[in-house]
Amino acid sequence: MKYVVFFVILILTGCNKKPENLSKAKIAVDTISHIINEEPKDTTTVPFSKTLMGNGYSYVLMGRQEMNGVINFKSLNIFEKKKLHQKIIIDTVSVLSEAEAYFDVNKDVNFDGYNDLEVINQVGNYWSSSSFWLYNKKTKRYDYYKPMDTIVNPLVDKKNKAITSNYHIGPTDYYYKVYEWKNNKLIMTHFQADENNGNE
């Protein structure tokens, strides 16, 4: 507010003076505009990063950590020989602590011989789900595969080339699902529900 008052006084006094005073007034206007438009600094969070190495790349998960420990993901930067190879924006994910900030680069989820990228997207008391980016050997980049986002507790079954999901809702409702790749799409091939006591 004191800058605005100063600005008004400067203009009123400068209008009746020499032209060089007008240039001084313009400098003052530019300075005040810069001060007013300057964004407030973030003092409630600190930078967060976690790094993994593998597959010839360095993977850096970036985010902001709040004072209560909550981490808001921002991006996953993939470097090849210290040069940025790919940047994946993941700014819709938040976890409650550093222990939940999980990502993995050593699972071949579509069984094509290349490791894919997994980033946690939700965490519950007894379950979690992840987002996956499949490695594209032609482009040498990771492609987002959205259909896997909602698979609960995904596990890679290398022997049977399947993704399994085993979880429960409440004390008595248990679910088991099996997914397999057909024509480059993940299809549910088995579903089992026990909504009585968990014994089938």
Side-chain angles (χ1 to χ4, degrees):
M1 187 66 186
K2 63 182 178 181
Y3 293 113
V4 176
V5 172
F6 169 74
F7 172 67
V8 172
I9 292 171
L10 185 63
I11 288 180
L12 291 175
T13 57
C15 288
N16 298 323
K17 304 256 177 171
K18 296 179 181 178
E20 64 260 15
N21 287 340
L22 292 177
S23 64
K24 289 178 183 176
K26 184 180 183 318
I27 292 170
V29 168
D30 292 342
T31 304
I32 291 168
S33 295
H34 177 71
I35 292 169
I36 292 171
N37 293 330
E38 199 174 85
E39 290 193 17
K41 292 182 179 177
D42 182 358
T43 58
T44 61
T45 65
V46 294
F48 168 84
S49 69
K50 190 173 185 179
T51 303
L52 291 178
M53 308 289 288
N55 313 313
Y57 298 109
S58 173
Y59 306 82
V60 184
L61 180 63
M62 308 289 293
R64 302 289 300 181
Q65 187 166 20
E66 299 175 12
M67 297 303 177
N68 62 1
V70 170
I71 299 168
N72 301 300
F73 294 169
K74 296 297 179 189
S75 66
L76 183 64
N77 299 331
I78 304 168
F79 295 90
E80 183 178 24
K81 297 178 181 175
K82 297 184 179 180
K83 183 180 177 183
L84 183 63
H85 176 70
Q86 184 176 359
K87 181 172 186 171
I88 299 170
I89 303 299
I90 46 173
D91 57 0
T92 59
V93 178
S94 294
V95 293
L96 295 178
S97 68
E98 191 169 340
E100 293 180 356
Y102 172 82
F103 73 111
D104 189 21
V105 298
N106 294 311
K107 292 178 184 171
D108 179 9
V109 298
N110 60 345
F111 312 104
D112 64 351
Y114 295 90
N115 287 334
D116 303 304
L117 176 60
E118 175 186 8
V119 179
I120 197 90
N121 63 32
Q122 288 190 64
V123 181
N125 287 335
Y126 303 103
W127 65 273
S128 67
S129 60
S130 295
S131 294
F132 288 86
W133 286 260
L134 308 179
Y135 186 75
N136 186 324
K137 63 182 177 182
K138 291 181 182 176
T139 63
K140 296 185 178 178
R141 295 171 72 83
Y142 291 88
D143 298 330
Y144 177 46
Y145 191 73
K146 187 174 176 60
M148 292 189 73
D149 277 9
T150 55
I151 298 177
V152 178
N153 298 336
L155 289 175
V156 177
D157 181 351
K158 291 182 184 178
K159 182 180 177 183
N160 297 304
K161 292 189 174 181
I163 306 296
T164 63
S165 171
N166 192 358
Y167 62 98
H168 66 90
I169 298 174
T172 61
D173 299 343
Y174 287 78
Y175 301 92
Y176 178 72
K177 301 174 184 177
V178 178
Y179 300 83
E180 294 179 22
W181 292 94
K182 297 190 181 198
N183 299 319
N184 295 319
K185 291 185 178 179
L186 196 62
I187 308 294
M188 186 191 304
T189 57
H190 178 78
F191 174 78
Q192 180 179 327
D194 182 355
E195 299 180 347
N196 296 316
N197 58 10
N199 297 318
E200 184 88 6

